[in-house]
Amino acid sequence: LVCLLSSVSFGQRKNVSQYNTWLLYFGTHKLSNKFDWYTEYQFRRNGFLIKPLQWQIRTSLDYKITKLITLSPAYVFTY
């Protein structure tokens, strides 16, 4: 009886339509032969563009040690 009641209560769900928008910009900008600047911006909204969900900024300064090794101190801010 407990199993039947729990399956009935968890089995009923309301269908909700969600229209999310996720806009993104990213780019690597060459500063010199050894340094690049990476930037990224994400803009996430719900209800197409009506309700804010989240936005995020990422940036890093990339230092090319060799062709196969890159050091990238980075910063990320999420709101």
Side-chain angles (χ1 to χ4, degrees):
L1 183 60
V2 172
C3 251
L4 179 61
L5 291 176
S6 65
S7 67
V8 170
S9 63
F10 288 118
Q12 297 175 352
R13 293 189 298 185
K14 181 179 176 183
N15 290 333
V16 176
S17 296
Q18 293 185 6
Y19 300 98
N20 295 325
T21 304
W22 189 353
L23 303 173
L24 172 70
Y25 167 80
F26 63 95
T28 302
H29 311 281
K30 186 174 180 124
L31 301 176
S32 70
N33 288 335
K34 291 278 189 179
F35 286 96
D36 291 332
W37 180 34
Y38 175 78
T39 57
E40 180 179 321
Y41 180 73
Q42 297 179 22
F43 183 70
R44 301 175 189 179
R45 306 288 281 188
N46 183 283
F48 188 63
L49 290 172
I50 299 169
K51 299 176 190 170
L53 281 177
Q54 181 183 59
W55 57 273
Q56 186 175 70
I57 298 171
R58 295 184 202 201
T59 188
S60 70
L61 184 63
D62 303 338
Y63 176 69
K64 297 176 188 173
I65 298 170
T66 68
K67 284 188 175 189
L68 299 175
I69 300 173
T70 302
L71 178 67
S72 299
Y75 176 76
V76 178
F77 178 78
T78 303
Y79 180 77

